[in-house]
Amino acid sequence: MSELDPTPADTGRPRLPRSVGLTALGVAVARAQESLRRDRLFDDPYARAFVDAVGAEAVSSMRTFGSYIALRTALFDDYLLAAARAGLGQVVLLAAGLDTRALRLDWPAGTTVFELDLPEVLEFKEAVLGRATAPAGSTRTVVPADLREDWAPALTAAGFRPEAPTAWLAEGLLPYLTSADNDLLVERVGALSAPTSRLAVEHVNPTTTYKGDVSGFRKMQSSIGAQWRSTQPDPPGWLAGHGWRALDAPTMDELHLRYGRGAELSERTGTGAGGLVISERGA
Ligand SMILES: C[S@@+](CC[C@H](N)C(=O)[O-])C[C@H]1O[C@@H](n2cnc3c(N)ncnc32)[C@H](O)[C@@H]1O
């Protein structure tokens, strides 16, 4: 059995997702590591549960930009909570992967968090989470969907209301889709977005340079067949073209300073804006 064999026949462990779905586990590894730090930016106990469910050996070859993922998680935690507290009662996590914000953030009463991802990823997730529930007064709803398809009917069937303002998040997803798929995705999001809705995305800026050694990450990507399919040189401009006005688009350096990690090696630096953008639906 290879280290990332998705079908550990006789282990009794939940079946691992394949290919791009497996990248969610890499993010969980990074979140579990961050949660162990004394100066952690968040505590995600479920991240450890995902790693434990598959066994440390199975994730030993997963490579991610660990400190970057911690910063990106903190930024989007803050974005989503602020949006919910400002009255956006629906949160939609596009490609939620093993994100457990629905369970671990202190949502205002009445918030509904929708999680969309590929069916096999959500099956794995539910098998590990078991009966974990969202904080009292909030709701977590899982919606299996391929985000290259028209997922709107599945989301509305699950209780999503297009007339109510929504905080959307596409974190760790866009590089794995083609530019054409991303255009379609963001158009579909727009069509479902009432005024004052917000959208946060992460994309990879092709001007990004890497200070650290990323060969292990690239090798891991190609070994599981989950290469990036697109980059975006101007994420705020791209969003503006689809009707979203950028509110915040920190560079990697700004992000490190904002969260008190200025002293650490920035794994990614960019000559332009970073790939992280928080935006609001234009009038
Ligand atoms: C790097 S993970 C990020 C997961 C999560 N957003 C996070 O930050 O922890 C990428 C996720 O995108 C999902 N994904 C990729 N292509 C997808 C598609 N066509 N439809 C739905 N989900 C997809 C994968 O299943 C995986 O969970």
Side-chain angles (χ1 to χ4, degrees), residues 20-21 23-24 27 31 72 95-99 117-118 121 145-148 171-173 176-177:
V20 72
T23 63
V27 183
R31 291 194 178 126
R72 146 187 136 178
L98 305 180
D99 175 337
D117 208 297
L118 297 168
V121 173
D146 187 325
L147 292 163
R148 294 165 298 184
E171 176 186 32
L173 169 68
Y176 293 105
L177 303 183

Side-chain angles (χ1 to χ4, degrees), residues 82-234:
R85 287 173 182 159
L88 279 65
Q90 299 184 123
V91 171
V92 181
L93 306 175
L94 299 162
L98 305 180
D99 175 337
T100 61
R101 291 183 173 101
L103 304 174
R104 66 180 177 79
L105 294 187
D106 185 19
W107 301 106
T111 307
T112 302
V113 182
F114 296 92
E115 299 184 2
L116 281 69
D117 208 297
L118 297 168
E120 62 171 7
V121 173
L122 295 177
E123 273 163 33
F124 170 77
K125 187 175 192 175
E126 298 312 288
V128 175
L129 290 180
R131 288 189 221 160
T133 51
S138 63
T139 309
R140 170 175 179 259
T141 302
V142 170
V143 185
D146 187 325
L147 292 163
R148 294 165 298 184
E149 315 281 332
D150 184 7
W151 40 269
L155 183 58
T156 48
F160 176 87
R161 295 184 304 123
E163 68 279 12
T166 300
W168 301 87
L169 175 63
E171 176 186 32
L173 169 68
L174 304 184
Y176 293 105
L177 303 183
T178 64
S179 298
D181 282 334
N182 285 332
D183 285 339
L184 263 178
L185 180 81
V186 80
E187 281 299 309
R188 288 185 173 123
V189 167
L192 294 168
S193 292
T196 77
S197 291
R198 298 180 197 172
L199 167 63
V201 303
E202 180 208 26
H203 212 322
V204 172
N205 187 329
T207 66
T208 299
T209 53
Y210 299 91
K211 288 182 182 167
D213 177 11
V214 294
S215 59
F217 176 71
R218 298 274 193 227
K219 204 169 139 207
M220 187 272 293
Q221 275 190 313
S222 96
S223 76
I224 64 173
Q227 290 91 341
W228 287 337
R229 293 188 162 76
S230 63
T231 56
Q232 176 49 252
D234 178 17

